[in-house]
Amino acid sequence: MLLMLFCCCAVCVAKKPKSVYLLGVSYSFSDSIVYFTEIQKMDSIVFNAEHKFLPNRQHYSYELTDYMAFKENMPGRPSAVFYAKKLSALQKKEAKLKKKLFKKNKAVMYLGNKFSFTRP
């Protein structure tokens, strides 16, 4: 009986895949241009109950760093990836970032549809 109860609880606690929106930013300390990806929707992401972080988040930033180094011929540009479960939340974060960059006299360029994130 106890084993059956445990199995039922384990099934109820299992996390369901969710959609997440990603935004990538590639910058350089010696360049006045900061590159942004378009906001992209990633489906079927399962979050860990303990950590609330995006799973494999380093993969996404490495993917953007490699793209900038090999496809755009701009090596040595660190990248950051921002995520949110709601599109509006990520759009607000993007607006805040752009506002900070404009105060520092940085130009913002979008990569457009040339780059897209892939799931690891």
Side-chain angles (χ1 to χ4, degrees):
M1 242 355 216
L2 187 59
L3 180 62
M4 192 166 145
L5 178 64
F6 179 72
C7 290
C8 290
C9 290
V11 169
C12 293
V13 174
K15 294 292 180 182
K16 296 179 183 175
K18 296 183 180 184
S19 295
V20 173
Y21 296 93
L22 297 176
L23 171 69
V25 179
S26 179
Y27 58 92
S28 175
F29 298 111
S30 61
D31 191 3
S32 64
I33 299 174
V34 178
Y35 291 90
F36 277 62
T37 66
E38 298 293 328
I39 294 177
Q40 299 172 23
K41 184 177 182 181
M42 297 295 287
D43 292 322
S44 303
I45 304 293
V46 179
F47 282 87
N48 188 346
E50 298 172 3
H51 298 296
K52 310 286 186 209
F53 287 119
L54 180 67
N56 299 315
R57 60 193 177 279
Q58 73 277 7
H59 168 79
Y60 299 111
S61 61
Y62 291 147
E63 185 178 12
L64 181 56
T65 300
D66 289 345
Y67 172 82
M68 293 302 291
F70 299 114
K71 298 287 186 178
E72 297 291 331
N73 199 22
M74 296 181 198
R77 296 180 70 91
S79 299
V81 175
F82 300 92
Y83 77 97
K85 294 178 183 175
K86 293 184 180 180
L87 178 61
S88 60
L90 193 56
Q91 288 171 334
K92 287 179 185 178
K93 188 171 284 208
E94 179 184 21
K96 276 184 175 181
L97 283 170
K98 285 200 274 186
K99 188 176 179 180
K100 285 182 182 180
L101 292 170
F102 287 137
K103 285 182 182 178
K104 295 180 179 182
N105 294 326
K106 298 277 187 176
V108 173
M109 298 278 296
Y110 281 90
L111 294 173
N113 59 1
K114 294 188 289 185
F115 174 80
S116 62
F117 292 107
T118 57
R119 274 194 295 152

